[in-house]
Amino acid sequence: MSTPADPGARLGTELSDAVVMFHEALGALMGLSAADNKALGVIRREGPMSARELADRTGLTAGAVTGLVDRLEHAGYARRTRHETDRRRLVIEATAPASPQVNEAAGEMAQAMARVTEQFSPDELLVVARWVELTTATMREQAVRTAARTT
Amino acid sequence: MSTPADPGARLGTELSDAVVMFHEALGALMGLSAADNKALGVIRREGPMSARELADRTGLTAGAVTGLVDRLEHAGYARRTRHETDRRRLVIEATAPASPQVNEAAGEMAQAMARVTEQFSPDELLVVARWVELTTATMREQAVRTAARTT
DNA sequence: CTGAATGATTTAGTGAACTAAACCATATCG
DNA sequence: CGATATGGTTTAGTTCACTAAATCATTCAG
């Protein structure tokens, strides 16, 4: 089935779990529910957008998005602005993580990952980078396909 | 700051996002809320446990765990048994994913990852495996440290 | 300029999952 | 054996984010 050197199988379980756990822990530290955290991810990933757009992305109704953005804004992770030309629209954008605690945690994580990187030669890092890239694309595609099945 | 060959930085954002997205999509396909999915993860990861133990792990009260296990059991992802010697206690254990849809999605993911693996030599796979292992350990540790900050 | 359309908010009501506490069943201790 | 502790369930009440629909503001089309 899977050899000890098959990272694909491992990713499926352990790394994936660890990533999810860290993500959840960071979300909790930020004081965000899983749903709010997910929405923030959408804004961060896709850049500033209107409330309607965010509603479509998250599958929420317009009314729910108002509350969602209220919470994100109040917690300091997002900002509401009016659209320059169309003043009915909002521009919802993510702001830098405010809390020092969150910055510290993120910084610590970055350092820890740097220590991992340190242990590989430049050539090896190229290999790993290639794998990470392919895997990311695969996970994304599978996420979309899997989501499509739910309908 | 981070070179194109620094997988650590990439993991922090893109792969991590993709992993979380897939995890969420799979959870949705399984008909589980994020919280229930997380609890199921605990049972899968740590093996059979009593309701009290699960309550401690998830931070829920005893009453809430009853409902939680009800849902998991009803959806076919967990099973309640009585403890052999102490018949007050439950033994809550995860069962194999029942729904054909979930199996299909999991299978498709496994195949997709196999196609990624295919593109690397055995030597390269060893490098990747080493990186995955170190990264997993790091993420786990950081998840725990981050969770501790929340308190 | 008026009327219809669009974007966001507000309001009222609903549902899901939670807590706290009362409640059974079983186990353990004196 | 009786009293007390422990594990899980049940119940009553609360909280919170959601939807649907009414509302306000702005834009666009005729």
Side-chain angles (χ1 to χ4, degrees):
Chain A
M1 283 278 143
S2 75
T3 75
D6 178 354
R10 302 201 60 127
L11 179 72
T13 56
E14 287 157 49
L15 177 52
S16 171
D17 276 357
V19 166
V20 170
M21 277 174 60
F22 178 71
H23 186 260
E24 276 168 0
L26 197 60
L29 185 61
M30 294 170 78
L32 295 179
S33 74
D36 287 6
N37 199 6
K38 181 180 168 180
L40 181 56
V42 170
I43 304 170
R44 288 217 168 118
R45 219 171 300 128
E46 313 195 9
M49 62 181 68
S50 73
R52 171 115 305 278
E53 235 172 315
L54 185 55
D56 291 341
R57 291 287 180 188
T58 54
L60 296 175
T61 58
V65 166
T66 297
L68 165 67
V69 178
D70 281 349
R71 292 190 297 275
L72 290 181
E73 193 169 38
H74 187 259
Y77 299 115
R79 186 171 39 192
R80 265 187 179 92
T81 332
R82 283 283 157 192
H83 192 278
E84 286 220 352
T85 64
D86 184 345
R87 296 226 316 272
R88 291 169 304 180
R89 281 188 216 177
L90 286 183
V91 176
I92 303 164
E93 46 189 342
T95 57
S99 137
Q101 277 199 315
V102 173
N103 282 326
E104 251 180 73
E108 204 179 294
M109 175 49 128
Q111 280 178 16
M113 281 311 296
R115 280 194 296 277
V116 170
T117 299
E118 237 165 45
Q119 308 195 22
F120 292 80
S121 73
D123 277 358
E124 287 175 334
L125 284 180
L126 281 174
V127 172
V128 173
R130 183 157 58 94
W131 182 83
V132 167
E133 205 148 323
L134 282 170
T135 300
T136 301
T138 299
M139 301 278 301
R140 267 207 204 112
E141 194 199 329
Q142 290 299 318
V144 172
R145 293 172 75 90
T146 302
R149 286 172 190 259
T150 300
T151 313
Chain B
M1 280 280 137
S2 77
T3 75
D6 179 355
R10 302 202 59 127
L11 179 72
T13 55
E14 289 158 47
L15 178 52
S16 172
D17 277 357
V19 166
V20 171
M21 278 174 58
F22 178 71
H23 186 259
E24 276 167 0
L26 197 60
L29 184 61
M30 294 171 77
L32 296 179
S33 74
D36 286 7
N37 199 7
K38 182 178 169 182
L40 181 55
V42 170
I43 305 171
R44 288 217 169 117
R45 218 170 301 126
E46 312 195 9
M49 62 182 65
S50 73
R52 172 116 302 279
E53 236 173 314
L54 185 55
D56 291 341
R57 291 289 180 186
T58 54
L60 296 174
T61 57
V65 167
T66 297
L68 165 66
V69 178
D70 281 349
R71 293 191 295 276
L72 290 181
E73 194 169 39
H74 186 258
Y77 298 116
R79 185 172 37 192
R80 264 187 180 94
T81 331
R82 282 284 156 190
H83 193 278
E84 285 219 353
T85 64
D86 185 343
R87 296 228 315 271
R88 291 170 306 182
R89 280 189 216 178
L90 286 184
V91 177
I92 303 165
E93 47 190 341
T95 57
S99 135
Q101 276 198 315
V102 173
N103 281 326
E104 249 179 75
E108 204 178 294
M109 175 49 126
Q111 281 178 14
M113 281 311 296
R115 282 193 295 275
V116 170
T117 299
E118 239 164 44
Q119 308 194 21
F120 292 80
S121 73
D123 278 358
E124 288 175 334
L125 284 180
L126 280 174
V127 172
V128 173
R130 182 157 60 93
W131 183 84
V132 167
E133 204 148 324
L134 283 170
T135 300
T136 301
T138 299
M139 300 280 299
R140 268 209 202 109
E141 193 198 332
Q142 291 299 318
V144 172
R145 293 172 75 91
T146 301
R149 286 172 190 260
T150 299
T151 312

